[in-house]
């Protein structure tokens, strides 16, 4: 019961932590785990994101742009979410962004 409560709280936290589509600046771009890095890099390039670095996970990248709408462009290119100033590690953020996208019906 406690585990389910914790998972539900984390899903709500991640949904509310996601940046709005018009956001710009430095952010974490989270993709579906298992997505090949070359496909992620191509998506980041099409979204006009400046790649700063890859996190310890292959599906979470740190990107930046001064042009408004980076978060929306990342989403349009397949990112599960874009996050800034997370109160948890990128590892947990990536896992919960994936779970949140499944719960929201954004993924099969």
């Amino acid at each position: 019961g406690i585990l389910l409560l914790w998972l539900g709280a984390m899903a709500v936290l991640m949904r509310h932590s996601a940046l709005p589509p018009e956001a710009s600046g430095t952010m974490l771009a989270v993709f579906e785990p298992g997505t090949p890095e070359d496909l992620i890099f191509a998506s980041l390039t099409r979204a006009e994101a400046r790649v700063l670095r890859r996190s310890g996970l292959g599906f979470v990248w740190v990107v930046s742009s001064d042009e408004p709408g980076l978060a929306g462009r990342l989403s349009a290119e397949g990112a599960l979410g874009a996050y800034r100033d997370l109160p948890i590690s990128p590892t947990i953020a990536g896992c919960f962004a994936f779970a949140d996208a499944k719960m929201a019906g954004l993924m099969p």
Side-chain angles (χ1 to χ4, degrees):
I2 292 174
L3 181 59
L4 290 175
L5 180 63
W6 182 79
L7 287 172
M10 290 304 294
V12 169
L13 174 68
M14 292 310 299
R15 180 163 297 204
H16 291 295
S17 296
L19 293 171
E22 62 275 2
S24 62
T26 302
M27 59 188 71
L28 293 173
V30 179
F31 291 84
E32 184 175 346
T35 303
E37 288 186 16
D38 58 339
L39 293 179
I40 292 174
F41 192 79
S43 294
L44 295 173
T45 301
R46 286 190 304 271
E48 300 176 4
R50 184 172 51 251
V51 176
L52 300 179
R53 69 182 176 279
R54 186 175 59 92
S55 75
L57 301 171
F59 62 95
V60 179
W61 291 61
V62 180
V63 299
S64 181
S65 176
D66 295 330
E67 296 296 320
L70 176 59
R73 293 191 308 271
L74 289 169
S75 180
E77 291 297 334
L80 297 177
Y83 302 91
R84 184 178 304 136
D85 298 328
L86 293 174
I88 55 179
S89 77
T91 302
I92 295 174
C95 293
F96 280 101
F98 179 73
D100 184 49
K102 282 214 177 262
M103 288 175 47
L106 298 175
M107 295 178 55

